[in-house]
Amino acid sequence: MAILVDDELGATVREILTVEHNAVPESISPVRVKRIGSEAVVAVTFGDRTGRMRLALVGATRDVSGSWDPTGAYVGTERPAQAGSSWTASGGWSSGEITSEGVFGGWVADRSAAQVRLRDASGRAVTETVEDGVAIFHWVSGTDLSRSEAELLADDGRVIAEARR
């Protein structure tokens, strides 16, 4: 997992995927890492023991001793991009109360997208940069992304695709 700066974070991700999601350890390949303070979300691809290729977002928090503790995971299978779709795979998790804290992200349907903008039911919008085809949102307080509208944006801010989650 060369993209990971911290070998311990890589070990935590590998353990979650191999133990809970039947990943073949040698197949785990990181795509993107997003860090916010003591938290990290890692986007990875991997093959499972049935031979299927999977996509995952895995979260962890660094505790006071410096160890990484799992906070959540989304594992899915890439779907073909469809008209009116912003994602080929997406998912996330929350702290229990969906508007208090959570992670949402995925692989964008149009790889030319530079950003993804999500707008919740109240109209509040959050925007995230797409890196290597992946956008990762981490929110704290007040945003409910569970029923959001997603817009893929070009470099110039033009909307190139939009869909309701």
Side-chain angles (χ1 to χ4, degrees):
M1 299 184 79
I3 197 171
L4 301 176
V5 176
D6 182 329
D7 288 339
E8 200 170 312
L9 176 58
T12 300
V13 169
R14 273 190 299 281
E15 181 178 355
I16 292 166
L17 293 176
T18 56
V19 172
E20 297 181 21
H21 301 285
N22 296 315
V24 175
E26 302 77 32
S27 72
I28 298 171
S29 178
V31 177
R32 179 176 179 194
V33 179
K34 181 172 182 179
R35 295 176 186 263
I36 299 171
S38 64
E39 298 186 38
V41 178
V42 183
V44 299
T45 61
F46 68 93
D48 67 18
R49 297 199 187 285
T50 68
R52 290 187 304 180
M53 285 306 297
R54 308 294 297 244
L55 306 171
L57 298 175
V58 180
T61 299
R62 188 183 291 273
D63 65 24
V64 293
S65 71
S67 297
W68 288 98
D69 298 320
T71 56
Y74 156 77
V75 176
T77 304
E78 189 168 23
R79 302 174 307 269
Q82 299 176 1
S85 175
S86 298
W87 306 98
T88 59
S90 63
W93 60 90
S94 70
S95 61
E97 176 59 42
I98 194 104
T99 60
S100 64
E101 181 178 8
V103 171
F104 173 77
W107 282 254
V108 296
D110 186 330
R111 301 298 176 158
S112 70
Q115 293 184 313
V116 176
R117 180 170 48 217
L118 297 180
R119 192 175 314 277
D120 71 8
S122 73
R124 181 174 175 198
V126 291
T127 304
E128 178 59 47
T129 301
V130 175
E131 293 178 19
D132 296 317
V134 176
I136 301 171
F137 291 86
H138 178 267
W139 72 91
V140 177
S141 186
T143 305
D144 179 0
L145 299 181
S146 65
R147 292 177 198 82
S148 60
E149 294 179 2
E151 299 172 316
L152 300 184
L153 307 175
D155 281 331
D156 61 5
R158 178 177 42 86
V159 175
I160 56 177
E162 57 187 319
R164 189 156 191 79
R165 272 194 357 111

